[in-house]
Amino acid sequence: MKPRTLYDKLWDDHVVKQREDGTALIYIDRQLLHEVTSPQAFEGLSLAGRAPWRLDANLATPDHNVPTENQEAGVEGILDPVSRIQVETLDANCDKFGIVEFKMGDSRQGIVHVIGPEQGATLPGMTIVCGDSHTATHGAFATLAHGIGTSEVEHVLATQCLIQRKMKNMRVEVNGDLPFGVTAKDIILAIIGEIGTAGGTGYAIEFAGSAIEALSMEGRMTVCNMAIEGGARSGLVAFDDTTLEYLKDRPYGPKAEQWDQAVSQWRDLKSDEGAFFDRVVKLNAADIKPQVTWGTSPEMVVAVDAQIPRQEEEADPIKREAIERAYQYMGYKEGLAITDIKLDRVFIGSCTNSRIEDLRAAAEVAKGNQVASSIKQAMVVPGSGLVKQQAEEEGLDEIFTQAGFQWREPGCSMCLAMNADKLGDGEHCASTSNRNFEGRQGQGGRTHLVSPAMAAAAAIAGHFVDVRDFVRQQS
Amino acid sequence: MEKFTSHKALVAPLDRANVDTDQIIPKQFLKSIKRSGFGPNLFDEWRYLDEGQPGQDCSNRPLNPDFILNKGRYQGAEILLARQNFGCGSSREHAPWALLDYGFRCVIAPSYADIFYNNCFKNGILPVILDDKIVNQLFEETFVSEGYQLNIDLSSQTVQTPSGESFSFEVDEFRKHCLLNGLDDIGLTLADADSIRSYEAKRKETSPWLFGVVK
């Protein structure tokens, strides 16, 4: 048999029917649902008199709109009436159709891309979709996972399938040891800086190489999460012992003899030797430094010790214009160093960086320090109720609050500012989220994407600092 | 879904690369549980000088006079001319809903983000891909001649300029078929229900741990 990539294998395993026009009907093992992109899908289903094809393939939770304070009040605690209706609509739809939902107040509630893996609802070899582009996160478990629109949410509810055309294969190889203070977030930001925000369009990206193999599952999730910021709907990492260890004893994972059977299938979830990739990109881990985005697209990223790029250095006129617009939006003068950017707010959270290891990394930096007085707000938002519990058992909440950070309740929060957590006009924010688009975190807000440790160090300094120097000075 | 066969209409040029779906429709408007009514908030942050709120009457809001869609000569445009990687970022289908609700039936760009591209077809919007050079030419022609219209014909897969120049574009056969006929693809997929059931039965046998657990 011809050697196949991991993506080829996942694709082949899910073809229900290959059509003559080159499209295929692909079976979907898991659909995650949240309140923002599902109401119109449920409505469509009802209007057409259709029922969900397979209830147990779905798992729902509200995350985008939920407030990060006073969650024990449940839906009643949502002060914005429009947001409240959306969460109530999800609750009503899940109750009506019989879909399992972790409602507000349930300790298992959280960001969809955090709770799926946490519960073992994300398992190797699956196809996973959600009406959210960061569904790519689940690819860290050797799954084929990608975001879809609401029409396709309805399509999957009604048929358990999607009509797809196969993507191309890209392999991004990161080899060598990551330097001290450099994290999974810096890897993916460096990759996006290299391939550009449309570099992965039309591809499924497999992340490989010794630096990826050395990452924990949480690190791999951070990398796959931002595949979409590089243009790829799906990111993937091969199954290995790290995956296996993470999955043991997860509530929805296989048990007893089914576990052994599953593991023997999962062992094959890797690209074969000699499999063909349409594009290969290689990075040397040793060359990666802590990254900071300076502009309004994730590809506008440099190392923390760099200066903001000058417009005249860019040859491509369309890119030059984009740089000019970003300068204007971000309010820069020429030749500013990254470490000179003064910050107003700091956000540690989102489906990219709100898991326990992210919080530990930020707490390690925050411990015994104080958030700078010039920072209006520094908030930590855990990815789920269970992450929050775990962090509290470890005393991380106290470290944060003693350092002057706000310790909040789980949700998407300031990543996209659909709830009350947002930036004011012109404010600069060090954020562990995934998008620095204009207005993303609040109208006129200026986002800089960084790792959790870099965000914590920036909160303490009041401006960006190289977390490597920061930690060395502390010790 | 409304059919798309051919469409001759006024063109509005949005001369920016990497326009993301957060720009097309900002997050506060995603709180709606409907598919319609997003048109007044299309490109909200660029179009108005104040910050928009869901449910607000937009007719009295201060317009940004510099934004292209606010120029008198582009009123009534149904074709949006755009730059590379249009629709990147969030998967929100509210983006094509907003474009459609505003009146756009077609976008022309050198490239699109995958999810946005797919979402357009589900809503009767045709996203045409043309070579960079041709897109450049169309931008120039749109800027210099007021009332510039293009004729988009899906059956023949061509874009025709007022001077009679014609450019052909590629489109997936299945998507073309659905757009031309305004078909709901759920119905088409359900015609294969037996294939889905037999696939599912086999999968249940080989990977039983994927079934009956989340309940």
Side-chain angles (χ1 to χ4, degrees):
Chain A
M1 200 176 181
K2 203 175 138 211
R4 294 182 299 164
T5 65
L6 171 57
Y7 170 64
D8 294 338
K9 291 179 184 182
L10 291 166
W11 173 269
D12 291 347
D13 279 352
H14 289 87
V15 175
V16 170
K17 192 176 180 180
Q18 182 66 49
R19 291 174 164 165
E20 282 175 17
D21 61 11
T23 60
L25 204 56
I26 293 294
Y27 189 79
I28 302 302
D29 294 308
R30 174 77 65 228
Q31 170 150 255
L32 299 164
L33 297 155
H34 63 83
E35 79 278 21
V36 179
T37 55
S38 68
Q40 298 88 348
F42 281 115
E43 186 194 45
L45 204 64
S46 294
L47 287 174
R50 292 174 176 136
W53 179 277
R54 205 190 119 198
L55 288 173
D56 65 313
N58 298 284
L59 178 61
T61 197
D63 56 4
H64 284 61
N65 276 282
V66 299
T68 53
E69 290 176 303
N70 193 26
Q71 281 189 5
E72 62 278 10
V75 181
E76 295 304 312
I78 307 179
L79 300 176
D80 175 354
V82 194
S83 287
R84 188 164 63 230
I85 289 170
Q86 203 164 45
V87 174
E88 284 170 346
T89 305
L90 178 69
D91 291 354
N93 281 322
C94 289
D95 291 348
K96 174 182 166 186
F97 290 104
I99 288 169
V100 173
E101 182 198 6
F102 299 158
K103 293 189 165 76
M104 282 181 67
D106 186 323
S107 64
R108 299 169 299 173
Q109 178 268 338
I111 306 173
V112 279
H113 309 310
V114 175
I115 68 161
E118 194 171 73
Q119 294 295 324
T122 298
L123 293 171
M126 276 181 159
T127 40
I128 303 182
V129 294
C130 174
D132 191 291
S133 59
H134 291 111
T135 309
T137 311
H138 308 267
F141 291 82
T143 74
L144 176 54
H146 59 81
I148 54 178
T150 298
S151 294
E152 289 192 324
V153 171
E154 183 183 341
H155 197 121
V156 174
L157 279 170
T159 70
Q160 213 51 51
C161 289
L162 279 179
I163 301 159
Q164 298 280 287
R165 189 176 274 276
K166 201 177 169 195
M167 296 182 274
K168 289 182 283 182
N169 280 286
M170 187 192 299
R171 181 176 163 97
V172 175
E173 224 177 278
V174 189
N175 283 309
D177 294 330
L178 271 188
F180 164 77
V182 179
T183 68
K185 181 64 164 285
D186 303 303
I187 294 182
I188 189 61
L189 285 173
I191 291 170
I192 295 163
E194 175 80 21
I195 68 172
T197 185
T201 304
Y203 293 94
I205 300 182
E206 180 174 344
F207 298 99
S210 59
I212 301 293
E213 287 163 22
L215 289 176
S216 68
M217 286 316 293
E218 298 196 355
R220 293 176 190 183
M221 282 189 254
T222 300
V223 171
C224 288
N225 173 275
M226 289 187 71
I228 187 68
E229 273 65 52
R233 285 195 307 164
S234 294
L236 304 151
V237 176
F239 178 87
D240 64 7
D241 286 342
T242 306
T243 330
L244 180 142
E245 286 305 320
Y246 179 97
L247 288 168
K248 275 181 184 163
D249 304 317
R250 297 278 160 185
Y252 292 141
K255 308 273 157 35
E257 64 271 22
Q258 277 194 359
W259 168 262
D260 299 329
Q261 197 190 342
V263 171
S264 75
Q265 270 184 31
W266 295 343
R267 288 280 178 207
D268 187 46
L269 294 172
K270 57 180 195 292
S271 291
D272 295 330
E273 196 77 34
F276 176 74
F277 287 89
D278 302 88
R279 188 176 170 197
V280 178
V281 175
K282 290 187 181 181
L283 270 79
N284 189 353
D287 296 340
I288 303 175
K289 296 175 180 175
Q291 304 282 305
V292 181
T293 66
W294 59 269
T296 53
S297 164
E299 70 182 16
M300 294 174 167
V301 64
V302 290
V304 62
D305 57 6
Q307 292 205 331
I308 296 167
R310 289 170 184 275
Q311 294 154 36
E312 60 269 22
E313 288 164 5
E314 180 58 58
D316 178 348
I318 292 176
K319 279 196 175 162
R320 199 164 50 235
E321 205 193 307
I323 293 177
E324 208 173 300
R325 284 191 50 81
Y327 257 80
Q328 218 171 51
Y329 182 83
M330 299 297 283
Y332 295 139
K333 293 188 189 73
E334 285 277 344
L336 192 69
I338 289 291
T339 47
D340 288 338
I341 299 172
K342 299 224 168 20
L343 297 160
D344 301 288
R345 291 180 202 265
V346 174
F347 170 62
I348 297 172
S350 89
C351 58
T352 315
N353 284 126
S354 65
R355 298 176 182 84
I356 191 69
E357 291 171 15
D358 299 317
L359 304 190
R360 285 179 192 144
E364 201 180 310
V365 173
K367 193 170 187 176
N369 288 302
Q370 278 301 315
V371 170
S373 58
S374 56
I375 299 283
K376 294 175 195 164
Q377 179 186 39
M379 64 194 300
V380 184
V381 183
S384 72
L386 295 176
V387 170
K388 181 168 181 276
Q389 273 178 17
Q390 170 81 29
E392 287 171 358
E393 278 166 27
E394 296 179 18
L396 304 185
D397 57 327
E398 279 178 33
I399 293 176
F400 284 122
T401 48
Q402 278 168 13
F405 288 84
Q406 297 172 1
W407 178 245
R408 295 293 188 96
E409 289 167 327
C412 299
S413 181
M414 205 191 272
C415 173
L416 86 168
M418 275 190 79
N419 70 355
D421 311 332
K422 57 186 76 166
L423 299 184
D425 193 16
E427 289 180 345
H428 284 267
C429 177
S431 178
T432 66
S433 57
N434 40 54
R435 289 190 174 132
N436 53 345
F437 298 151
E438 288 181 26
R440 169 82 178 180
Q441 294 191 289
Q443 190 155 349
R446 296 159 173 173
T447 303
H448 303 274
L449 306 175
V450 288
S451 74
M454 280 285 289
I460 289 149
H463 55 87
F464 285 114
V465 289
D466 189 331
V467 69
R468 298 169 298 180
D469 299 338
F470 184 89
V471 173
R472 280 190 201 110
Q473 277 163 16
Q474 299 271 312
S475 55
Chain B
M1 183 175 88
E2 206 179 322
K3 290 180 191 179
F4 189 108
T5 48
S6 71
H7 210 72
K8 190 177 179 195
L10 186 69
V11 181
L14 184 66
D15 195 6
R16 294 178 195 200
N18 298 318
V19 170
D20 58 77
T21 53
D22 273 82
Q23 298 315 322
I24 298 175
I25 182 83
K27 68 263 168 200
Q28 65 268 39
F29 306 108
L30 311 189
K31 295 178 187 182
S32 166
I33 57 170
K34 298 188 187 130
R35 274 175 194 262
S36 56
F38 296 100
N41 302 110
L42 175 71
F43 299 117
D44 198 275
E45 291 184 9
W46 290 341
R47 207 162 136 198
Y48 303 98
L49 294 171
D50 63 346
E51 186 172 350
Q53 296 307 324
Q56 180 186 14
D57 174 11
C58 293
S59 56
N60 295 319
R61 292 177 59 197
L63 293 173
N64 172 5
D66 297 332
F67 186 55
I68 205 81
L69 293 186
N70 291 336
K71 310 261 184 208
R73 59 183 282 196
Y74 299 120
Q75 297 311 303
E78 294 175 22
I79 297 169
L80 185 68
L81 187 60
R83 292 291 187 184
Q84 69 211 37
N85 199 29
F86 187 79
C88 61
S90 155
S91 60
R92 57 189 70 165
E93 199 162 318
H94 312 68
W97 293 340
L99 286 165
L100 190 68
D101 200 62
Y102 180 90
F104 287 116
R105 288 300 311 277
C106 176
V107 185
I108 300 175
S111 61
Y112 299 88
D114 288 334
I115 303 176
F116 173 82
Y117 183 73
N118 192 38
N119 283 342
C120 282
F121 286 99
K122 309 285 180 187
N123 293 283
I125 297 176
L126 175 63
V128 171
I129 300 174
L130 289 176
D131 189 75
D132 254 328
K133 278 190 189 137
I134 300 170
V135 171
N136 272 337
Q137 179 190 330
L138 298 181
F139 264 101
E140 279 165 30
E141 291 178 10
T142 310
F143 285 135
V144 298
S145 71
E146 200 162 330
Y148 186 82
Q149 295 200 344
L150 287 170
N151 186 21
I152 320 286
D153 186 66
L154 180 54
S155 319
S156 64
Q157 297 176 213
T158 53
V159 174
Q160 242 186 8
T161 70
S163 66
E165 226 178 327
S166 179
F167 303 109
S168 61
F169 59 88
E170 297 291 319
V171 62
D172 186 288
E173 271 308 309
F174 178 72
R175 285 167 166 156
K176 177 177 172 181
H177 171 73
C178 288
L179 260 190
L180 281 173
N181 299 290
L183 294 177
D184 157 20
D185 56 9
I186 294 179
L188 294 176
T189 298
L190 284 174
D192 284 320
D194 289 343
S195 305
I196 304 172
R197 272 188 213 103
S198 74
Y199 173 92
E200 205 164 49
K202 208 172 70 198
R203 186 141 186 86
K204 209 166 175 173
E205 221 169 89
T206 54
S207 307
W209 56 88
L210 299 178
F211 292 80
V213 181
V214 180
K215 56 182 181 183

